Structure formats: C-alpha cells, structure tokens
C-alpha cells in the first residue's frame, strides 16, 4: 500500500472517530439538559415516536441498560454512566490509537469495533421492539459504528498482509 493510501486510511478512521465523538457529546448535552429540565425538547425530537429524549430518559440510556443489571438502578453515576459518556471515551481512545500502526493494537481495535457493533444491534433491537421509538441520534451512531468496523477491518487486513509478506521474504 502506498504512503498516500495509508495516510488516507488513517484520516478516514480519525474522521469517523470525530463524527462519533460529536454525536456522543451531543447526546451528553441532551442528557444533561434533561437532568436539569424534564420538559426540555431537543432538536432530535421530531415527532412522538421519533424522539431521542425518550430513549435517553429510558433505563437503556445509561450503561446500555446493562450496568443496572450488575450494579442496580440506584447505583452511582460512575457505575452507571450515560451512553454518551461511554461513547466519548471510546472515540477519544480510538482516535489516539489510530496514530500507531501495531498489529496487536489493530486487532484490539477490530475486537472493540465488533463488540460495539454487537451493542448497536442490541440497542437497535431495544429501540424498535421494547421502546417502540426511532432515535435519530442512535441511528447516526449505528452508521458511524458500521463505518468504523469496515475501516478497522480494512486496516487490520492491510497490516496482516504486510506482516505476512515480511515473513515470506525472510
């Protein structure tokens, strides 16, 4: 792979992380506004059944609804953070790790992107069949994670091929 293609791949991954971070920060903003004012109406509330605030207010708006199973619903906010906070940390860490070209790090990125893609399927199922809602912010996150998975998978394949070619030459 040429240096230009390699730089383009890194830039795409970083832009995906920046988009994911922006969406996560917006969801944190909405969640904070909801905590301050229960009547807050966000830009992403387009209709009764197209509402991100309904999703963020639900039990699944914190810790993906999974941390409540482990720590209980009355646990501290540190043990049950909003999904946007978890996403923000994830995107920042992935952005920083994109500056390094190690095969093991790329494998870790690939595994994390698979886990987050599975979380997207889980949350999408809950969105449609439990909450009976459509969340524009959530849908954007699902698109970002799909693109993220595809980009990291391509990056891993490239690093794996480079390693294999180096071993074959030796």
């Amino acid at each position: 792979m040429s240096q230009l293609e390699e730089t383009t791949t890194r830039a795409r991954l970083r832009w995906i992380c920046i988009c994911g971070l922006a969406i996560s920060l917006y969801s944190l903003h909405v969640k904070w506004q909801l905590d301050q004012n229960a009547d807050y109406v966000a830009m992403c509330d387009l209709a009764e059944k197209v509402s991100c605030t309904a999703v963020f207010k639900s039990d699944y708006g914190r810790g993906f609804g999974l941390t409540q199973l482990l720590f209980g619903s009355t646990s501290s906010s540190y043990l049950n953070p909003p999904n946007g906070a978890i996403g923000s940390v994830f995107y920042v860490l992935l952005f920083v790790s994109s500056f390094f070209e190690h095969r093991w790090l790329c494998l870790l990125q690939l595994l994390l992107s698979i886990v987050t893609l599975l979380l997207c399927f889980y949350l999408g199922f809950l969105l449609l069949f439990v909450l009976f809602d459509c969340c524009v912010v959530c849908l954007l996150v699902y698109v970002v994670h799909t693109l993220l998975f595809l980009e990291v998978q391509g990056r891993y394949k490239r690093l794996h091929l480079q390693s294999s070619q180096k071993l074959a030459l030796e």
Side-chain angles (χ1 to χ4, degrees):
M1 181 178 266
S2 74
Q3 185 68 26
L4 178 63
E5 289 174 290
E6 200 171 305
T7 303
T8 304
T9 300
R10 285 188 217 158
R12 272 194 313 259
L13 180 58
R14 290 176 191 145
W15 274 110
I16 293 169
C17 290
I18 289 169
C19 290
L21 179 61
I23 296 166
S24 293
L25 291 174
Y26 175 72
S27 74
L28 271 176
H29 168 73
V30 171
K31 182 71 172 144
W32 184 78
Q33 291 293 332
L34 285 171
D35 289 345
Q36 303 302 316
N37 177 6
D39 297 326
Y40 175 73
V41 177
M43 287 188 311
C44 54
D45 289 344
L46 305 177
E48 185 181 338
K49 288 297 181 182
V50 182
S51 170
C52 63
T53 56
V55 174
F56 296 159
K57 285 181 187 177
S58 76
D59 291 341
Y60 305 104
R62 290 186 163 274
F64 310 113
L66 300 173
T67 55
Q68 292 180 6
L69 298 173
L70 298 172
F71 304 114
S73 60
T74 59
S75 65
S76 75
S77 61
Y78 295 113
L79 297 176
N80 196 16
N83 294 350
I86 297 169
S88 296
V89 170
F90 172 76
Y91 292 119
V92 167
L93 290 175
L94 195 62
F95 181 85
V96 170
S97 71
S98 72
F99 287 93
F100 304 99
E101 289 275 332
H102 300 290
R103 189 173 170 200
W104 66 268
L105 185 58
C106 199
L107 178 61
L108 180 63
Q109 290 171 342
L110 182 62
L111 292 173
L112 287 174
S113 69
I114 290 169
V115 168
T116 58
L117 202 56
L118 291 173
L119 270 174
C120 285
F121 286 121
Y122 161 73
L123 291 172
F125 174 83
L126 292 173
L127 189 65
L128 291 175
F129 300 110
V130 175
L131 299 174
F132 304 107
D133 200 3
C134 181
C135 170
V136 175
V137 171
C138 302
L139 295 175
L140 288 172
V141 167
Y142 304 157
V143 169
V144 165
H145 278 279
T146 302
L147 293 173
L148 182 70
F149 169 73
L150 294 172
E151 195 62 40
V152 170
Q153 181 189 30
R155 189 174 192 214
Y156 179 77
K157 283 181 180 178
R158 180 179 49 79
L159 285 174
H160 182 70
L161 285 175
Q162 284 178 352
S163 298
S164 299
Q165 288 172 351
K166 284 181 185 177
L167 289 174
L169 291 174
E170 293 176 356

